[in-house]
Amino acid sequence: MSRIKTRDRLTAMMAVFILSLLVVLPGCSSESGGQDGNGTERALAMKQISASDKDTVTIVIGAYSVVKDALGRILPQFAADWEAKTGKKVVFQESYEASGTQARAIAGGMEADVALLAMEGDIDKLERAKLINSDWKQQDAYQGMVTRSVAVIGTRKGNPLGIRDWTDLTREGVNVLYPNPKTSGGAQWDINAIYGAGLKMAAEQGNDGPPFAKQLLMRIHHNVLSMDKSGRASMAAFEYGVGDAIVTYENEILSRKREGVAYEMVLPKHTILIENPVVVVRKYARKHQVEEAAEALVDYLREPKAQRMFAEAGFRPVNEQVAKETIKAYPVPDGLFHIDDMGGWDEVREKLYSNRGVWYQVLAGIE
């Protein structure tokens, strides 16, 4: 697996302890009644309390960790607009976790009314649990998506190692971070971006695509210091000082830069278009009698007002009007590709993440 120098191992271990406070605890308390991924009982208790108030609606949201900051701005605006429109107050119970972890929690009984996750494969877990309709992607003009992004490389101030593309992450002495694709949907986007970029580079150079792409991924993984459970946890480790470069979402770097953190962002020539879905979890929303408000929230997330706030948080809008407004802020890389260019999610899951797939081989060091 990855080589970890003694000094970096100690740094990473210290980061794990501190990040348990920086990452987990903030998810347990917020003005909107936030919770961590294990707060189901508290959410349901609050729902029972609010059920006695005919003028209050409680919506439980299960979301992936990266979107927390954006929703922190958007949800109060929706609540204000909803109250002005209906006369009813909205109380939110929010759970933020790694996307895969969140999806499994909801499928396993965490009664979220709305799920905003990192990738459609995690929404598919809810479909298999019979919590949503199988045609969830056909129910709106956005094919179920609410935000977009691209996979990028974040570096320290001034990009001291001169990183310009994926191949630079294979160099000796470059310590890399990305989250664990077994728990994080964001990490699967990262791995897809690297492997897919390898396929594109191989085609340009006249090489056999899959072996070239696998070697690129394996060589980068050789330099990985640690794999955190979520994209947000990985980013927090980078902020703590672990690693020289991080593979992450564009919005993660942009949001930090807007907060004054001195990071550089490298937009590789070949990278993947990331699409993040949102759904009303029908079974639970109906059970809790909040389906109307939950549907209104999902619609609101795609309206210009909310999409502009997503854009300000670093996400690429799905709303065409806002996409046109923000096109200068979000340039399209020359070699941008889509998951469909890799055969679609079903093929990618089988090729990369099956029991004997490419990712297994990378972890096992199988050439």
Side-chain angles (χ1 to χ4, degrees):
M1 227 177 135
S2 307
R3 13 172 220 90
I4 303 180
K5 298 176 183 177
T6 301
R7 175 181 58 80
D8 291 320
R9 185 190 296 274
L10 292 174
T11 303
M13 290 173 66
M14 292 173 60
V16 168
F17 173 75
I18 292 176
L19 293 177
S20 67
L21 301 177
L22 297 178
V23 178
V24 177
L25 292 180
C28 299
S29 61
S30 70
E31 293 182 1
S32 56
Q35 58 174 338
D36 65 17
N38 298 317
T40 309
E41 291 183 3
R42 184 160 68 90
L44 296 179
M46 287 296 295
K47 189 173 285 293
Q48 291 171 357
I49 292 171
S50 64
S52 63
D53 185 350
K54 295 181 179 180
D55 293 328
T56 301
V57 175
T58 302
I59 300 177
V60 179
I61 298 174
Y64 72 112
S65 58
V66 171
V67 80
K68 181 179 180 180
D69 293 344
L71 289 185
R73 293 187 58 204
I74 294 171
L75 295 181
Q77 290 295 317
F78 170 78
D81 291 355
W82 180 256
E83 185 173 6
K85 179 180 178 180
T86 67
K88 295 183 178 181
K89 296 181 180 179
V90 177
V91 175
F92 296 106
Q93 290 294 305
E94 304 158 52
S95 169
Y96 296 98
E97 275 285 359
S99 186
T101 303
Q102 190 70 273
R104 286 188 292 272
I106 298 171
M110 191 191 95
E111 297 188 0
D113 303 307
V114 173
L116 201 171
L117 301 176
M119 60 184 187
E120 65 180 75
D122 288 330
I123 300 294
D124 289 341
K125 293 181 176 70
L126 310 187
E127 180 188 336
R128 289 194 292 272
K130 301 187 183 306
L131 300 178
I132 63 173
N133 298 331
S134 60
D135 62 347
W136 64 272
K137 289 188 71 175
Q138 285 74 52
Q139 293 182 356
D140 57 68
Y142 301 95
Q143 293 189 311
M145 304 303 159
V146 65
T147 54
R148 295 185 180 122
S149 192
V150 294
V152 300
I153 304 167
T155 75
R156 302 297 175 188
K157 181 180 179 180
N159 192 3
L161 299 183
I163 293 168
R164 295 287 178 259
D165 211 337
W166 301 116
T167 53
D168 294 317
L169 300 185
T170 69
R171 298 195 323 241
E172 184 72 22
V174 178
N175 294 319
V176 181
L177 294 181
Y178 52 56
N180 190 338
K182 292 187 68 175
T183 58
S184 169
Q188 289 195 25
W189 282 117
D190 297 338
I191 301 305
N192 297 348
I194 296 169
Y195 187 83
L199 295 176
K200 295 294 184 181
M201 285 186 266
E204 290 179 349
Q205 298 171 23
N207 294 319
D208 188 4
F212 185 96
K214 177 184 171 182
Q215 279 299 312
L216 175 64
L217 180 57
M218 184 172 285
R219 291 170 64 199
I220 291 175
H221 187 71
H222 180 68
N223 284 344
V224 171
L225 287 176
S226 65
M227 294 189 295
D228 295 288
K229 72 173 185 178
S230 72
R232 177 50 54 91
S234 186
M235 196 70 215
F238 192 62
E239 290 189 4
Y240 182 73
V242 179
D244 303 308
I246 182 170
V247 182
T248 187
Y249 284 15
E250 174 186 52
N251 54 278
E252 284 285 79
I253 298 298
L254 290 179
S255 67
R256 295 306 185 276
K257 291 181 71 173
R258 286 169 179 153
E259 291 170 3
V261 182
Y263 292 148
E264 302 293 334
M265 187 180 78
V266 176
L267 185 60
K269 174 184 176 181
H270 297 295
T271 192
I272 196 166
L273 177 67
I274 295 167
E275 296 182 299
N276 313 120
V278 63
V279 293
V280 174
V281 186
R282 298 278 171 198
K283 181 176 180 178
Y284 296 142
R286 287 171 180 166
K287 176 181 178 180
H288 304 144
Q289 299 180 4
V290 297
E291 193 171 12
E292 180 185 4
E295 288 179 345
L297 172 59
V298 168
D299 289 342
Y300 184 85
L301 293 177
R302 292 161 173 149
E303 292 177 2
K305 187 174 183 178
Q307 287 281 296
R308 291 189 186 101
M309 284 187 276
F310 274 126
E312 290 167 4
F315 291 91
R316 296 185 177 222
V318 297
N319 181 286
E320 290 186 7
Q321 174 185 336
V322 182
K324 290 178 181 178
E325 294 173 2
T326 59
I327 193 168
K328 290 184 179 180
Y330 296 104
V332 178
D334 292 339
L336 185 68
F337 57 92
H338 192 272
I339 191 70
D340 290 343
D341 297 323
M342 299 176 66
W345 272 111
D346 287 343
E347 184 171 329
V348 168
R349 280 192 288 267
E350 178 63 27
K351 178 72 174 179
L352 267 64
Y353 306 112
S354 61
N355 289 338
R356 298 289 176 176
V358 170
W359 180 245
Y360 165 84
Q361 295 171 37
V362 167
L363 290 179
I366 300 173
E367 295 289 342

